[in-house]
Amino acid sequence: MVEIKIVAFDDAHRGLIRTVREQVFIQEQQIDPEIEFDNLDSEAVHVLVMDGEQPLGTGRILSDGHIGRIAIMKAARGQGLGAKVVRALVEYAQQQGYPRVDLGAQTHAVDFYCKLGFIPYGDEFMEANIPHQAMEQMLA
């Protein structure tokens, strides 16, 4: 059974989160590990998608409302898990009283985030040699 939970980057969850991000960002997208693991993880709140003992996806939100590191394992894509991760992070932000959330979407994923209520702003930018678009969602 797939479970989506809010977790810390602690001893119990660090390895699971790293497994997903290493596979998706470092192996598949060839992102430098020093860029991927930026020392903000211990300050962030994370979402972890698990199927039993198997990690399927993750994402994080920083204290300023910045959402990032949304990653779903290749074999688990197409099941709506990415949307569930984003919704869980937005819900967390709402519960914490954040006025808005923002993210840097890889440009191929802009439509995905638009469907989840995010609006693009500003110019396209490069991050880790991948084109991105800044997006935000105002929270009630």
Side-chain angles (χ1 to χ4, degrees):
M1 184 178 116
V2 173
E3 185 181 9
I4 297 168
K5 41 189 186 174
I6 300 283
V7 301
F9 197 72
D10 56 15
D11 291 342
H13 304 104
R14 182 179 298 112
L16 299 166
I17 292 166
R18 287 185 69 97
T19 294
V20 174
R21 287 170 47 187
E22 285 171 357
Q23 181 62 44
V24 173
F25 295 125
I26 297 169
Q27 298 301 316
E28 286 181 39
Q29 297 184 357
Q30 302 293 302
I31 293 174
D32 184 325
E34 288 186 18
I35 294 172
E36 177 54 35
F37 296 104
D38 58 7
N39 298 320
L40 296 176
D41 284 314
S42 59
E43 302 168 19
V45 171
H46 299 259
V47 167
L48 188 57
V49 182
M50 297 291 296
D51 186 0
E53 300 294 312
Q54 186 68 35
L56 300 180
T58 191
R60 75 178 187 190
I61 186 168
L62 302 176
S63 61
D64 64 0
H66 186 76
I67 291 174
R69 304 309 198 266
I70 308 296
I72 304 297
M73 297 290 259
K74 188 178 267 187
R77 293 180 195 151
Q79 302 174 39
L81 297 178
K84 289 179 180 181
V85 168
V86 175
R87 285 187 190 110
L89 291 166
V90 170
E91 185 177 311
Y92 172 83
Q94 288 172 318
Q95 291 169 352
Q96 300 303 308
Y98 293 13
R100 75 186 270 278
V101 289
D102 72 293
L103 53 82
Q106 292 184 11
T107 54
H108 70 83
V110 167
D111 288 344
F112 166 80
Y113 289 110
C114 283
K115 290 175 185 166
L116 293 171
F118 285 82
I119 299 168
Y121 69 92
D123 295 327
E124 191 176 289
F125 63 95
M126 294 297 285
E127 185 174 307
N129 295 317
I130 299 170
H132 283 71
Q133 173 64 54
M135 300 185 77
E136 69 181 349
Q137 184 178 138
M138 303 310 288
L139 304 178

